Amino acid sequence: MFLRSLALGLLFCTALYGAKSGSKSDLLPGLQAPMIKELKSEPIKQRLLSEKKYKSLLQFSLGVAYYKEEKYAEAYKVLSKVSNVPYLGDYIKYYRSASVFEFSNSPELLKKSLEDLYSVSNNGASGLSDDVKNLIPEFEFKIALALAKSKNFDSSLDYYARARAKGYSDLRSEFDLIKNYSINNKEMTLGLMLDLNRRFTPVETKKLFDTLPDKIRTDLYALASYKITTKDVGDQSKYRKTEGDLIASVKDAVVIRDSAKVKELSIEYLKDYPLGTYNKRFYDVSYSYIENSIISKEKDVSYYKSMLAYYDKNYLDKLVIKLFQKSGLDEVEKVLDVVLDKYPQHDKGVYLMATLKEDSGKDSSAIKYYKKIVDGFPQSTYYQRSLFKYAWLEMADSNYSDCIELFTRYIDEGQDNYDWSVTAALYFKAQCLEKKSRMDDAKATRQELVERFPYSFYALISMEKDGISLSEHINKNIKPLDTSAEAVSPQELKSIRTAIMLVMAGLVDGAVKELSNINLDKLSPGYIDLITSIYKYSSSPEMTIMAAGKLMNSLKGYASQEHAETHFPKLYFDNVKKFSDDSGIPPFIMLAIMKRESAFNKNAVSSSGALGLMQLMPDTALSIEPKIKTKSLTDPAKNIKLAASYLKTLLTKYDNNFIYVLASYNAGDDALTRWINWYGKKYDNIEFIENIPYVETRNYVKAVISNYYMYNALYLKKDVSFK
């Protein structure tokens, strides 16, 4: 594996720095930046690496390979003989020190290696910063333990203090260290044991404390008798017991489902203990009961209104959102009435009431609440969406002059803050202009959209509307890189060079880490292109796509057809084609979803537990193939096959409505059913997408459709229609 990685690294360098015409050495022909000029002049082995340093690079790669195979002594032996390699000095020190940490208990060798780690930390090696930050306190603690075992207690305590100052915390390990101290200094041992009691539960520490020799424990208890104060503990305990008993009574009422008792005791608790010590415990007990009681229609909101009037607004907001998903809108409105009666200036409550009125079809009332946010809460996190919806509802009510003014305000205010949501405002402003028969202004607005946000969802829809061929537009807007005046900081330059050397050494993960700290938004196109190439050769599809996208944004177009295809790769296409054909799903739909879901990272895992290329949930996979093993979902062929089957099921269920299929794939059937009930008959398809309440799902549907447009235009030279 090591030799294969090394070979790939060397192939990369040959490709990136080879001298023949058309090679990557001609990547930036006009670039004047020192690094590129230097790397272009000769192959890297000759220019950056003498024969001796080239052999050192091989040795470094071998040492890291040993380290990854957990042969730490062998890794240290090899890495100790490596002389300096350009830009990899910190990496040599790190892997050498990390090897020592794993196999050695020698205080002197550990201390020497720790000094190397301090040096790496001070140099600020960007790709190693997190690893070094995590390893140093563990290293310091290991030295403290090694010194204590050799009875060098003063030095040991110094290293222990360093580790604790950096956040080191491990009960058993620290107790082992303190146990060594106990034979030397009982006063110090007591203080450290009290610190453990403060940071961990007494039950945990007592179990370990009881393992100390009898004489030591007796002496420590004697010291403790006058060192541990009990002042005011009785009064505090009594207060907490009374509060705790009341919560226990609420819990008992919940268990027997006595709603009247739950309400009575909850009001008593909230009156007596509005800022109680156990507030969270109370809300955890009562909130779930109320929520389930209303959703199951055992009781309605009116029944709990007197109790909810005392409730914390965060839990009221939480209840509103849950009822939005699971209950009738009239019940939601009752809770919001409580919220706004108690907290009239609660911007989130006002915003939720606006969305409720809109979902209930009461647009004039919704406008009133959205306008309240826009006029009264300009700093609110809900201001942006409220301004957009205010404009939207004026458009729906045919007040086109007002909606043009509001969309224009949204666009002007969102120049720097609203990002891609401005595209929707531009598109719908154009729609309103058309309604006022201002056709030239509408077309100019769509042209602005295409120029400012090329290949975004609404830009693609606008091109189609104006009869612009996407495939021809891509070719016409290929923009060769202007690299005549590139600028890059010394730290960024170092990171780029280090990443190149790491790829040569076969450490592609390290190269990705090294580059990930660079802000591509502030780099010139030439350097973004170079970094894209390094990502590509480091086999990191998600980072390659990200960097290619940054370059596209910077150029407002593509540098070449190859650049566009790097942004929209056809990875795993053999499997995609096979299973797409079997399921009747167009293969570019599969690629469009895969790009959005995982960026072609077969090992991707979402926060909700979705796995693999198509981000399948294990339960979804089981519904398709009951005997499937979760771990197999990271297998590309298996993942693609199951996703294709699932998509076919959804297409059948939703009568080939691709928008509904995508919304369901991302948010689930329950959410989609609500949205269809609210908006399905009220709006056309584009308007339906823009009204999806979940920001993630709204953007997801737009992104996948945009990807589908682009794949067809790039690979088939074919323009697809939204219709």
Side-chain angles (χ1 to χ4, degrees):
M1 178 61 74
F2 155 69
L3 290 175
R4 187 181 307 143
S5 297
L6 181 60
L8 288 172
L10 294 176
L11 280 172
F12 161 69
C13 286
T14 302
L16 192 54
Y17 301 106
K20 68 179 183 178
S21 176
S23 72
K24 287 290 179 179
S25 66
D26 298 321
L27 182 68
L28 304 171
L31 193 60
Q32 299 302 311
M35 180 198 70
I36 302 298
K37 192 174 181 181
E38 177 182 308
L39 294 184
K40 274 184 58 186
S41 62
E42 296 180 52
I44 195 168
K45 181 178 170 183
Q46 297 173 19
R47 186 70 177 88
L48 287 183
L49 293 173
S50 64
E51 195 63 32
K52 181 179 178 182
K53 288 181 178 178
Y54 178 70
K55 289 178 180 177
S56 292
L57 178 65
L58 296 180
Q59 286 291 101
F60 169 69
S61 300
L62 179 61
V64 175
Y66 278 138
Y67 177 83
K68 291 184 175 180
E69 292 172 8
E70 299 183 8
K71 298 177 180 177
Y72 301 116
E74 292 95 326
Y76 174 71
K77 184 177 179 181
V78 171
L79 291 168
S80 294
K81 295 177 182 178
V82 176
S83 58
N84 190 34
V85 179
Y87 310 109
L88 295 186
D90 286 341
Y91 283 84
I92 294 169
K93 289 178 182 178
Y94 172 77
Y95 281 106
R96 189 169 62 211
S97 299
S99 299
V100 169
F101 178 80
E102 297 292 349
F103 83 88
S104 177
N105 288 305
S106 162
E108 294 310 311
L109 183 54
L110 287 167
K111 283 196 282 186
K112 183 175 180 296
S113 298
L114 179 60
E115 291 303 317
D116 279 343
L117 280 184
Y118 286 151
S119 170
V120 173
S121 179
N122 291 334
N123 286 340
S126 57
L128 289 173
S129 57
D130 289 340
D131 294 330
V132 171
K133 183 179 178 181
N134 293 332
L135 184 55
I136 282 178
E138 294 188 19
F139 223 114
E140 290 169 333
F141 182 83
K142 186 168 184 177
I143 294 172
L145 189 58
L147 288 168
K149 287 178 178 177
S150 64
K151 297 185 170 47
N152 190 343
F153 297 113
D154 289 342
S155 293
S156 172
L157 187 60
D158 174 52
Y159 280 98
Y160 179 39
R162 292 193 210 179
R164 284 288 302 120
K166 295 181 181 70
Y168 183 88
S169 183
D170 183 88
L171 176 59
R172 288 191 172 276
S173 298
E174 290 184 64
F175 181 78
D176 286 343
L177 178 64
I178 293 168
K179 200 170 180 179
N180 278 280
Y181 291 160
S182 66
I183 62 175
N184 178 65
N185 189 325
K186 294 184 179 62
E187 288 273 358
M188 180 181 71
T189 303
L190 172 66
L192 295 174
M193 285 299 300
L194 291 177
D195 181 53
L196 288 188
N197 270 314
R198 179 180 60 79
R199 290 188 285 122
F200 301 96
T201 67
V203 174
E204 291 177 300
T205 54
K206 188 175 185 307
K207 284 180 183 177
L208 296 175
F209 193 81
D210 288 345
T211 65
L212 290 170
D214 289 344
K215 185 176 187 314
I216 293 173
R217 279 191 292 123
T218 301
D219 290 345
L220 289 177
Y221 278 131
L223 289 168
S225 65
Y226 61 84
K227 282 188 176 288
I228 301 176
T229 178
T230 57
K231 183 180 179 182
D232 295 331
V233 168
D235 292 339
Q236 189 180 54
S237 173
K238 182 180 178 182
Y239 170 83
R240 290 187 174 180
K241 185 175 188 306
T242 304
E243 182 189 358
D245 286 347
L246 190 49
I247 292 173
S249 298
V250 174
K251 191 171 184 180
D252 289 342
V254 165
V255 170
I256 62 173
R257 303 203 66 78
D258 185 341
S259 299
K261 203 69 176 172
V262 170
K263 184 167 67 170
E264 175 193 340
L265 293 171
S266 294
I267 292 173
E268 181 183 347
Y269 176 81
L270 290 167
K271 282 182 175 179
D272 292 347
Y273 301 97
L275 299 173
T277 306
Y278 303 128
N279 253 203
K280 185 177 184 306
R281 188 186 302 175
F282 163 76
Y283 281 112
D284 288 346
V285 169
S286 66
Y287 171 81
S288 297
Y289 178 79
I290 295 168
E291 175 193 298
N292 293 330
S293 176
I294 296 170
I295 290 171
S296 67
K297 298 185 178 178
E298 182 181 336
K299 299 290 182 183
D300 63 12
V301 171
S302 299
Y303 182 83
Y304 293 108
K305 190 171 182 179
S306 58
M307 172 184 165
L308 294 176
Y310 292 96
Y311 241 54
D312 178 86
K313 67 182 176 183
N314 292 324
Y315 283 91
L316 290 171
D317 290 345
K318 185 179 174 184
L319 182 60
V320 166
I321 291 168
K322 182 62 78 171
L323 294 182
F324 250 125
Q325 298 170 349
K326 300 289 186 181
S327 186
L329 295 181
D330 51 345
E331 293 297 290
V332 178
E333 186 167 1
K334 290 174 187 175
V335 180
L336 283 171
D337 284 337
V338 173
V339 174
L340 295 180
D341 183 56
K342 186 176 181 181
Y343 307 105
Q345 296 303 308
H346 181 35
D347 58 339
K348 185 174 183 179
V350 176
Y351 176 76
L352 290 171
M353 183 64 91
T355 60
L356 169 76
K357 295 296 186 182
E358 183 183 1
D359 294 341
S360 302
K362 301 172 183 176
D363 288 357
S364 58
S365 294
I367 287 175
K368 180 182 75 172
Y369 285 103
Y370 284 129
K371 189 174 186 299
K372 185 174 181 179
I373 294 283
V374 170
D375 293 343
F377 302 92
Q379 302 304 315
S380 169
T381 55
Y382 303 99
Y383 172 83
Q384 172 192 344
R385 188 64 181 164
S386 296
L387 177 56
F388 184 92
K389 296 298 284 185
Y390 181 12
W392 175 276
L393 291 176
E394 292 288 14
M395 178 178 69
D397 203 27
S398 302
N399 295 324
Y400 299 120
S401 296
D402 289 344
C403 80
I404 291 169
E405 182 182 334
L406 289 167
F407 278 132
T408 301
R409 174 179 170 184
Y410 185 94
I411 294 160
D412 291 343
E413 291 182 5
Q415 295 285 354
D416 300 319
N417 301 319
Y418 295 175
D419 302 322
W420 294 100
S421 62
V422 173
T423 63
L426 284 162
Y427 178 80
F428 289 108
K429 176 185 174 181
Q431 296 287 85
C432 294
L433 287 165
E434 284 194 347
K435 293 292 186 180
K436 296 289 288 182
S437 299
R438 295 167 59 183
M439 299 304 181
D440 290 343
D441 289 340
K443 189 170 183 177
T445 301
R446 287 194 294 272
Q447 287 174 344
E448 179 188 352
L449 167 56
V450 172
E451 289 170 6
R452 286 180 58 191
F453 304 95
Y455 315 127
S456 64
F457 172 77
Y458 283 112
L460 297 176
I461 299 297
S462 295
M463 285 186 217
E464 181 181 349
K465 187 175 181 69
D466 289 332
I468 299 170
S469 166
L470 174 57
S471 55
E472 291 177 10
H473 184 273
I474 292 171
N475 288 330
K476 286 179 181 177
N477 285 274
I478 295 292
K479 298 175 182 176
L481 295 176
D482 177 10
T483 56
S484 58
E486 299 271 340
V488 67
S489 72
Q491 183 57 48
E492 289 167 335
L493 186 62
K494 179 184 175 185
S495 290
I496 293 169
R497 286 173 151 175
T498 302
I500 292 170
M501 298 300 292
L502 287 167
V503 171
M504 284 190 71
L507 301 183
V508 294
D509 291 344
V512 170
K513 275 188 179 180
E514 194 70 40
L515 294 174
S516 62
N517 291 300
I518 297 177
N519 184 353
L520 298 187
D521 291 324
K522 295 184 178 179
L523 282 189
S524 54
Y527 273 103
I528 302 175
D529 192 25
L530 177 62
I531 289 172
T532 304
S533 296
I534 299 172
Y535 277 138
K536 191 173 182 180
Y537 284 102
S538 4
S539 303
S540 177
E542 66 273 31
M543 298 303 289
T544 306
I545 290 169
M546 178 278 297
K550 295 287 188 183
L551 179 55
M552 189 278 290
N553 289 339
S554 177
L555 295 172
K556 302 297 183 188
Y558 289 106
S560 63
Q561 175 75 15
E562 180 186 0
H563 170 214
E565 291 178 5
T566 299
H567 194 199
F568 290 89
K570 286 175 64 177
L571 299 175
Y572 304 104
F573 192 69
D574 289 344
N575 282 324
V576 167
K577 186 76 169 62
K578 178 180 185 304
F579 297 120
S580 292
D581 288 347
D582 291 346
S583 302
I585 311 288
F588 285 143
I589 287 180
M590 297 287 289
L591 288 179
I593 293 172
M594 197 182 301
K595 182 177 186 289
R596 176 65 181 191
E597 289 285 359
S598 67
F600 299 94
N601 177 1
K602 66 180 181 180
N603 297 312
V605 181
S606 77
S607 58
S608 61
L611 297 166
L613 292 169
M614 299 290 286
Q615 289 290 275
L616 284 172
M617 292 297 291
D619 288 347
T620 301
L622 285 168
S623 71
I624 303 165
E625 190 174 314
K627 294 184 179 180
I628 188 74
K629 293 182 179 178
T630 299
K631 64 181 180 181
S632 70
L633 293 179
T634 55
D635 173 68
K638 179 68 71 175
N639 191 281
I640 292 168
K641 179 182 179 181
L642 291 171
S645 296
Y646 182 51
L647 285 167
K648 182 179 181 181
T649 301
L650 292 176
L651 280 166
T652 301
K653 181 174 183 177
Y654 293 111
D655 195 25
N656 291 318
N657 186 316
F658 187 34
I659 293 165
Y660 288 177
V661 168
L662 292 177
S664 176
Y665 194 90
N666 180 261
D669 283 342
D670 289 347
L672 177 61
T673 299
R674 288 197 308 277
W675 303 337
I676 292 174
N677 290 336
W678 292 344
Y679 312 124
K681 295 179 181 178
K682 185 177 180 181
Y683 296 127
D684 66 23
N685 280 334
I686 292 177
E687 292 169 342
F688 177 86
I689 293 171
E690 196 54 52
N691 274 277
I692 292 174
Y694 296 176
V695 177
E696 179 193 339
T697 304
R698 188 163 68 241
N699 291 338
Y700 175 88
V701 173
K702 292 178 188 177
V704 174
I705 293 173
S706 301
N707 292 346
Y708 184 58
Y709 268 74
M710 295 299 292
Y711 270 111
N712 280 277
L714 286 171
Y715 292 99
L716 300 180
K717 307 301 179 187
K718 171 186 172 185
D719 294 324
V720 295
S721 171
F722 187 84
K723 296 177 183 177

